[in-house]
């Protein structure tokens, strides 16, 4: 797959949309009970796969196919994102922002807190 071209601003805009839809206080809980973020959720008993955690939601809305996200399951955002998106000169900041958001989320904090962590990086 060719990497999706994005800007850090686009990623932040989409992350804000996702958080607004879920609610700032939304706390992600993996469906498996493993306590691990999943970029893609596969419903038990069939049905279509859907984006899962905040980073998975954002990258999918930016155009990364679910099957591509699934191939990178269990990788940290800082490892996975550079393989799927091309942010040009803003790549390092973008990867740090996604990684920070994922770390906040995986620490059991709200998506609003994860968004603020990403905003801090990209607004610096």
């Amino acid at each position: 797959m060719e990497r999706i071209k994005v800007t850090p601003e686009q990623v932040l805009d989409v992350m804000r949309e996702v958080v607004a839809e879920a609610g700032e206080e939304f706390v992600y809980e993996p469906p498996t009970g493993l306590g691990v973020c999943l970029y893609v959720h596969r419903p038990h008993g069939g049905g279509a796969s859907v984006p899962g955690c905040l980073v998975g939601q954002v990258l999918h809305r930016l155009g990364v196919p679910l099957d591509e996200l699934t191939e990178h399951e269990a990788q940290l955002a800082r490892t996975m994102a550079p393989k799927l998106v091309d942010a040009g000169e803003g790549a390092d900041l973008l990867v740090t922002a996604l990684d920070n958001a994922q770390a906040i989320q995986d620490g059991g904090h709200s998506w609003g807190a994860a968004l603020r962590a990403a905003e801090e990086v990209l607004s610096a």
Side-chain angles (χ1 to χ4, degrees), residues 36-104:
V36 178
C37 160
L38 294 176
Y39 297 119
V40 179
H41 292 184
R42 291 171 217 90
H44 297 290
S49 293
V50 296
C53 69
L54 181 57
V55 171
Q57 294 269 346
V58 169
L59 293 180
H60 181 62
R61 287 189 189 197
L62 288 166
V64 176
L66 292 176
D67 61 331
E68 289 291 328
L69 288 169
T70 301
E71 288 182 26
H72 298 283
E73 209 66 84
Q75 293 180 13
L76 297 174
R78 68 175 166 257
T79 304
M80 175 268 303
K83 298 174 185 175
L84 301 176
V85 297
D86 176 3
E89 292 180 15
D92 289 343
L93 282 177
L94 176 62
V95 168
T96 299
L98 289 173
D99 198 53
N100 287 1
Q102 184 180 56
I104 295 294

